[in-house]
Amino acid sequence: MDTTCSAKDLAVLLSSSSNSTSSLAAATFLCSQFSNISNKLSDTTYAVDNTYLLFSAYLVFAMQLGFAMLCAGSVRAKNTMNIMLTNVLDAAAGAISYYLFGFAFAFGTPSNGFIGRHHSFFALSSYPERPGADFSFFLYQWAFAIAAAGITSGSIAERTQFVAYLIYSSFLTGFVYPTVSHWFWSTDGWASASRSDNNLLFGSGAIDFAGSGVVHMVGGIAGLWGALIEGPRIGRFDRLGRSVALRGHSASLVVLGTFLLWFGWYGFNPGSFLTILKGYEKSRPYYGQWSAVGRTAVTTTLAGCTSALTTLFSKRLLAGHWNVIDVCNGLLGGFAAITSGCAVVEPWAAIVCGFVASWVLIGFNLLAKKLKYDDPLEAAQLHGGCGAWGVIFTGLFATKRYVNEVYSGDGRPYGLLMGGGGKLLAAQLVQILVIIGWVSVTMGPLFYGLHKMNLLRISREDEMAGMDMTRHGGFAYAYNDEDDLSVKPWGKVEPTSRSSTPTPPLTA
Amino acid sequence: MSGTLTCSVSDLSAMLGPNATAAAEYICGQLGTVDNKFTDAAYAVDNTYLLFSSYLVFSMQIGFAMLCAGSVRAKNTMNIMLTNVLDAAAGGLFYYLFGYAFAFGGSSEGFIGRHNFALRDFPTLTSDYSFFLYQWSFAIAAAGITSGSIAERTQFVAYLIYSSFLTGFVYPIVSHWFWSPYGWASPFRSAQDRLFNTGAIDFAGSGVVHMVGGIAGLWGALIEGPRRGRFEKSGRAISLRGHSASLVVLGTFLLWFGWYGFNPGSFTKILVPYETGSSHGQWSGIGRTAVTTTLAGSTAALTTLFGKRLLSGHWNVTDVCNGLLGGFAAITGGCSVVEPWAAIVCGFVAALVLIGCNKLAEIVQYDDPLEAAQLHGGCGAWGLIFVGLFAKEKYLNEVYGATPGRPYGRLMGGGGKLLGAQLVQILVVAGWVSATMGTLFFMLKKLGLLRISEKDEMAGMDMTRHGGFAYMYYDNDDESHRAIQI
């Protein structure tokens, strides 16, 4: 709505009723009042939008906690301290590296299509310098960056040296991930659907609203390389090639973590609108960005739920029982998949997304077993596999109306199965290939280099004893006093039949 | 600030000429309506912001409960968690009855508030229920801190008494001094009445909350003495390890999450423009505060990681968690008035302060199961000093009202007055809390109500006073595992 007010023009209108001097005064008065209204409205909008984005950022941060608990519950007790420390440090080290350069590489503008580079963004030196970018945006993007690094730690859990972890995590959060987010989310990015100079890839740009590719695939592919290069955990595949389940030590922590991730996803997906106070159509004043935000929360919910239910019944058929751990993983796979298209598809399509995501996860898990690929959190299968499906899903089901609303345009390509042609799907496929390629050529050699320098995997003895005991100051749990000899200690939490070398007893 | 919307019918109709009164009335009426709508919108937005910030601060109770649980031995888990639940519950009642009134009740002579007992005559022009809830969530945080210092050896009755006294009286008075517009050391006082022309700057409570909780805990732990087995006769320290690192990490992350309500929420309003027509207003300061908070905690965590690796030879997640929290406790005082880079300095020093205070505690044989006095007291005090060194003039003027010539951070060129006020705050908080809580703990000890018996301490408080062990991983009748029961 245009709120400009020209005193001269208004005075002309008013002058029919009196002499021109007083009508000019009246007009000036009216115009200045309208200007005040406009300022007040602008202030209100900033306050509302910042509130919305900040609380969304806090929710995304809560996913760190969720992932920490999911990881802890999914590994053996003897490695709990290790995996949780990696999660705490993802957030802490990620804050420093993202503040110093990650944010600038991702969103520094003006820049080129490959990587951001404006000096004022490094260490937030003269930020915020223009409207539309404030600290809330930085915090929100930081919360996403640390999510990506967290994913990778799941693939290499239980057998990776801590130093290797520090190195890959800083590199991923400070460089590899920001570059990818620049391509797809910056207004300068070569493949971005919100590119400002109208030079969109295939006339469309890739649509990855909250990051099935940018976050989940990046984390998952990085994890894939780490886990491939260092090999499976000892005892995971026996001499005959059979896979042996190395069960996590606490289903309660797994469920706690999963629910916290679900909770936080309401910041991850709907929050990616960044603003909420925006009307879309004059003719329907109740319909605006707030509606799209709500719809996105709904599609997110439906995809996760469908995936959880599908996994529940499929695993009942495949394994013969109702398994809460598998259902939790299925749920998360549904969320990882819907993350790309949550804002641009109808709720019914989200159900399709979740249904397929569940099968994609089951399929990739079977493939991993066949190839003797060991991933303690199924991170590569879930985030990489379901993430890729999510990117494709968007190319099939994005609706014309929502694409043009969210990405402000006219006649943009949309989902193939919705009659929108193949250009969007083509852009999505390009996104998948490019992410796989970029992450492989950056993180692959990094992990390989660490491996060659003997900095990647821990020794066999350390792996059998557990990293907590050997590197982290002791066991995570101590349910009985050390001097209480009347009760058997809690040391052994997995049966000795699983490994060829018996687990050493817990020492006081 | 945007201009105000006013409209005078007589002036406008004179300007519009004859027969224009109706038009003028109409226009003024519309502008009045618009003004009301904006006022309503501002209240709605600000209350939404403050309420959700309160819920976040409340979630710090869960965080602290889990942190405490994981940090003590399994046999005392029920006890410590009960104290955390009751902090919130008893605190709720006492803060409502008198705590809030002492803290923020109406005009006063600077020492203690005197209105709004049991929320009478409430809401006022300046404070609504969201403000009460927000302040309540802070009050129970302070009480929670103290319970960490005296964990594993304190009688539950003593706990109830000190907690009510702290939440209902000791803490509210401190918050009155530094946060009420009438407090004698408050920076919210009118400009000519401020201590050293500035008032002490403690934005979200490094002193008011963390030092109060920590010093109270210090006296409790000093007076009742270390846990049995903590220091050998030779003076060597034995670490009495917590029973679950998972709970420690869970608790730490929940505290981090809640801190986004604790620090940025302390602005209490988000819809406050700084300059007319600018895209930057209080919402920017709030975002910046969330960033400084994040950076301080992260730096403290990393510093602790490497510091402890050097000192003890391994990477320790529970130490890193404590370091992280120390960084947060320190930045809490100055989070809104410093640059992000300064927050990194704050966190770095906080980690060193914590390590140092812990070493000192070991030397003097002071036992604090949660390192609460060292972390909240020590890092909290550093946080206040930090403000006196690094506070930026522009941000002080934004947050505390534009005052030409106001003192600011010494290292930023602002003179020594702010640092002076900060030191006064440290001394006064330490003195007041020592005089009140020290005396209370001493009296409880003299009455035999403070510490539990040696037998109870060896068996564990859960077994002897709380109905049984917290954990039951095997069935009663499962002989093969020799179940952990009575």
Side-chain angles (χ1 to χ4, degrees):
Chain A
M1 184 177 78
D2 190 11
T3 52
T4 53
C5 187
S6 153
K8 256 192 5 191
D9 296 339
L10 190 52
V12 165
L13 297 171
L14 289 171
S15 64
S16 56
S17 58
S18 63
N19 68 73
S20 61
T21 318
S22 58
S23 62
L24 183 60
T28 310
F29 171 78
L30 286 171
C31 281
S32 78
Q33 292 296 49
F34 285 132
S35 170
N36 287 338
I37 291 173
S38 179
N39 285 335
K40 276 187 185 276
L41 189 57
S42 159
D43 293 339
T44 304
T45 306
Y46 284 124
V48 169
D49 286 337
N50 273 280
T51 301
Y52 177 67
L53 189 57
L54 280 170
F55 279 90
S56 297
Y58 308 153
L59 280 173
V60 177
F61 174 71
M63 293 168 84
Q64 279 300 112
L65 167 56
F67 201 67
M69 295 300 108
L70 178 72
C71 282
S74 302
V75 301
R76 288 163 295 177
K78 64 188 183 183
N79 293 315
T80 310
M81 301 260 263
N82 169 264
I83 194 81
M84 290 197 298
L85 183 57
T86 68
N87 276 292
V88 173
L89 285 170
D90 268 325
I96 304 298
S97 60
Y98 200 70
Y99 161 79
L100 288 176
F101 11 79
F103 183 66
F105 287 151
F107 295 102
T109 188
S111 70
N112 59 58
F114 176 74
I115 193 167
R117 62 189 172 96
H118 198 246
H119 67 88
S120 68
F121 284 73
F122 286 90
L124 297 178
S125 58
S126 38
Y127 186 86
E129 53 172 32
R130 68 197 72 195
D134 211 326
F135 285 103
S136 50
F137 181 68
F138 167 78
L139 200 78
Y140 190 69
Q141 294 302 332
W142 160 74
F144 269 65
I146 61 179
I151 290 168
T152 310
S153 68
S155 301
I156 55 174
E158 302 211 77
R159 60 215 192 279
T160 307
Q161 293 187 39
F162 195 68
V163 163
Y165 168 78
L166 285 172
I167 294 172
Y168 101 71
S169 175
S170 320
F171 185 57
L172 187 69
T173 311
F175 178 66
V176 177
Y177 165 82
T179 309
V180 176
S181 66
H182 184 81
W183 298 342
F184 299 101
W185 287 345
S186 162
T187 46
D188 297 336
W190 65 269
S192 169
S194 42
R195 209 184 157 134
S196 49
D197 68 354
N198 280 326
N199 190 5
L200 297 166
L201 175 70
F202 303 156
S204 163
I207 292 184
D208 186 7
F209 187 69
S212 292
V214 176
V215 179
H216 295 280
M217 278 187 72
V218 167
I221 304 288
L224 177 72
W225 283 107
L228 273 175
I229 287 170
E230 62 176 12
R233 289 168 289 177
I234 295 172
R236 178 74 176 89
F237 297 103
D238 67 17
R239 285 185 217 289
L240 303 167
R242 264 187 324 198
S243 105
V244 179
L246 299 179
R247 289 186 54 196
H249 82 278
S250 171
S252 311
L253 288 178
V254 168
V255 173
L256 171 65
T258 302
F259 262 124
L260 278 164
L261 283 164
W262 187 342
F263 173 67
W265 232 293
Y266 289 121
F268 203 90
N269 284 5
S272 292
F273 277 94
L274 308 179
T275 59
I276 188 166
L277 182 44
K278 187 165 143 188
Y280 282 160
E281 288 165 38
K282 264 203 176 107
S283 54
R284 294 202 300 161
Y286 55 86
Y287 180 70
Q289 191 129 296
W290 50 84
S291 317
V293 163
R295 188 185 65 237
T296 303
V298 170
T299 53
T300 300
T301 309
L302 286 171
C305 294
T306 309
S307 182
L309 284 166
T310 311
T311 308
L312 176 75
F313 289 109
S314 319
K315 285 301 221 163
R316 175 70 176 82
L317 285 170
L318 291 171
H321 60 264
W322 313 99
N323 188 314
V324 71
I325 310 278
D326 288 335
V327 166
C328 285
N329 281 314
L331 180 75
L332 296 175
F335 286 139
I338 193 60
T339 293
S340 158
C342 49
V344 293
V345 301
E346 297 282 13
W348 63 259
I351 294 178
V352 174
C353 179
F355 180 76
V356 175
S358 169
W359 287 108
V360 164
L361 182 58
I362 288 174
F364 273 116
N365 277 332
L366 284 169
L367 182 63
K369 227 156 96 163
K370 258 186 138 50
L371 300 175
K372 302 228 215 345
Y373 167 76
D374 178 30
D375 190 320
L377 271 289
E378 314 178 0
Q381 300 93 301
L382 202 159
H383 298 274
C386 294
W389 153 241
V391 172
I392 293 172
F393 163 79
T394 306
L396 297 172
F397 288 89
T399 69
K400 176 178 184 179
R401 174 151 154 230
Y402 298 151
V403 168
N404 284 302
E405 261 169 18
V406 175
Y407 290 99
S408 53
D410 237 327
R412 298 181 69 116
Y414 53 101
L416 177 67
L417 298 182
M418 312 298 284
K423 286 195 171 160
L424 176 58
L425 182 62
Q428 304 299 91
L429 292 169
V430 165
Q431 175 177 12
I432 291 176
L433 291 169
V434 146
I435 286 180
I436 293 177
W438 168 251
V439 177
S440 300
V441 308
T442 47
M443 299 303 288
L446 177 73
F447 281 124
Y448 189 70
L450 290 169
H451 173 66
K452 275 292 171 209
M453 293 194 289
N454 264 331
L455 288 174
L456 188 58
R457 190 161 178 161
I458 60 180
S459 72
R460 188 185 176 81
E461 296 78 41
D462 284 354
E463 193 171 332
M464 297 316 294
M467 297 181 71
D468 293 358
M469 204 50 79
T470 54
R471 285 149 192 275
H472 294 288
F475 206 51
Y477 301 100
Y479 285 106
N480 306 106
D481 279 353
E482 287 160 352
D483 52 351
D484 183 353
L485 300 170
S486 67
V487 182
K488 254 163 81 159
W490 274 85
K492 294 189 179 174
V493 292
E494 75 276 5
T496 50
S497 60
R498 290 219 181 99
S499 43
S500 46
T501 317
T503 312
L506 174 67
T507 49
Chain B
M1 194 174 85
S2 323
T4 45
L5 289 167
T6 54
C7 195
S8 152
V9 171
S10 51
D11 294 343
L12 187 52
S13 85
M15 290 188 266
L16 290 170
N19 293 329
T21 315
E25 270 172 13
Y26 174 79
I27 292 173
C28 282
Q30 293 293 61
L31 287 175
T33 305
V34 169
D35 200 26
N36 287 337
K37 280 186 186 272
F38 273 121
T39 307
D40 291 342
Y43 281 122
V45 169
D46 286 332
N47 273 278
T48 300
Y49 177 69
L50 191 56
L51 280 170
F52 278 86
S53 297
S54 307
Y55 309 152
L56 278 175
V57 177
F58 175 72
S59 75
M60 293 169 87
Q61 284 298 111
I62 314 175
F64 202 66
M66 295 298 109
L67 178 72
C68 282
S71 301
V72 302
R73 290 163 295 178
K75 64 189 185 186
N76 293 315
T77 310
M78 302 260 262
N79 169 264
I80 196 80
M81 290 197 297
L82 182 58
T83 66
N84 275 292
V85 173
L86 284 171
D87 268 325
L93 198 57
F94 285 105
Y95 198 70
Y96 160 78
L97 288 174
F98 11 82
Y100 179 78
F102 288 150
F104 293 102
S107 60
S108 77
E109 73 293 343
F111 177 76
I112 189 170
R114 314 179 263 147
H115 301 91
N116 304 133
F117 285 91
L119 291 183
R120 259 184 67 171
D121 306 320
F122 198 81
T124 65
L125 181 63
T126 48
S127 311
D128 206 335
Y129 287 102
S130 52
F131 184 70
F132 168 77
L133 197 75
Y134 190 66
Q135 293 303 331
W136 162 76
S137 65
F138 268 64
I140 61 180
I145 291 168
T146 311
S147 68
S149 302
I150 56 176
E152 301 210 78
R153 60 215 192 279
T154 307
Q155 291 186 42
F156 197 67
V157 162
Y159 170 77
L160 286 173
I161 293 171
Y162 101 71
S163 175
S164 321
F165 186 58
L166 188 68
T167 312
F169 182 69
V170 177
Y171 164 82
I173 289 179
V174 177
S175 65
H176 184 77
W177 296 344
F178 299 102
W179 287 346
S180 159
Y182 304 100
W184 65 271
S186 166
F188 297 108
R189 267 192 146 184
S190 35
Q192 62 273 23
D193 289 335
R194 292 177 196 157
L195 175 73
F196 301 166
N197 280 340
T198 165
I201 304 283
D202 186 7
F203 186 68
S206 288
V208 176
V209 178
H210 295 281
M211 274 189 74
V212 168
I215 304 285
L218 177 72
W219 283 106
L222 272 176
I223 287 171
E224 62 176 10
R227 289 168 290 176
R228 292 186 203 288
R230 176 76 174 95
F231 295 105
E232 287 180 340
K233 292 209 201 299
S234 60
R236 208 167 56 124
I238 308 283
S239 102
L240 300 179
R241 288 186 58 195
H243 83 276
S244 171
S246 308
L247 289 178
V248 168
V249 172
L250 171 64
T252 302
F253 261 125
L254 277 166
L255 283 164
W256 185 339
F257 175 66
W259 231 294
Y260 288 122
F262 204 91
N263 285 4
S266 292
F267 278 90
T268 68
K269 285 183 202 286
I270 187 163
L271 183 37
V272 177
Y274 286 158
E275 304 148 15
T276 313
S278 161
S279 64
H280 301 123
Q282 189 127 294
W283 48 85
S284 315
I286 285 173
R288 188 185 63 240
T289 302
V291 172
T292 53
T293 301
T294 308
L295 288 172
S298 300
T299 310
L302 285 165
T303 310
T304 309
L305 176 76
F306 290 109
K308 285 301 225 163
R309 174 72 175 82
L310 285 171
L311 291 172
S312 68
H314 60 263
W315 316 96
N316 189 315
V317 68
T318 47
D319 286 336
V320 165
C321 285
N322 281 314
L324 181 75
L325 296 174
F328 286 138
I331 194 61
T332 293
C335 48
S336 62
V337 294
V338 301
E339 295 281 23
W341 63 260
I344 293 180
V345 174
C346 180
F348 178 74
V349 174
L352 301 177
V353 165
L354 181 58
I355 289 174
C357 283
N358 277 334
K359 276 266 171 275
L360 180 64
E362 231 176 74
I363 291 172
V364 304
Q365 297 201 356
Y366 167 77
D367 178 32
D368 190 320
L370 271 288
E371 313 178 1
Q374 298 92 303
L375 201 160
H376 298 275
C379 295
W382 154 242
L384 291 177
I385 295 173
F386 165 77
V387 175
L389 297 172
F390 288 91
K392 198 170 139 127
E393 186 181 18
K394 174 169 166 210
Y395 298 152
L396 284 170
N397 281 324
E398 273 170 8
V399 176
Y400 292 101
T403 312
R406 67 150 68 239
Y408 53 102
R410 190 152 195 304
L411 296 181
M412 312 294 280
K417 282 192 168 166
L418 178 58
L419 184 58
Q422 303 301 96
L423 292 169
V424 166
Q425 177 174 8
I426 291 175
L427 290 169
V428 147
V429 168
W432 168 252
V433 177
S434 301
T436 48
M437 299 303 288
T439 310
L440 177 74
F441 281 123
F442 186 70
M443 271 172 24
L444 288 169
K445 172 167 169 172
K446 278 294 172 212
L447 293 169
L449 290 174
L450 188 57
R451 190 161 178 160
I452 60 181
S453 69
E454 171 163 7
K455 244 179 26 162
D456 285 355
E457 192 172 331
M458 295 319 289
M461 297 181 72
D462 292 358
M463 205 54 77
T464 54
R465 289 148 188 275
H466 293 288
F469 207 49
Y471 298 98
M472 196 71 153
Y473 282 109
Y474 297 107
D475 279 349
N476 280 346
D477 50 358
D478 184 349
E479 294 296 319
S480 69
H481 292 270
R482 294 182 60 207
I484 307 130
Q485 300 180 65
I486 301 137

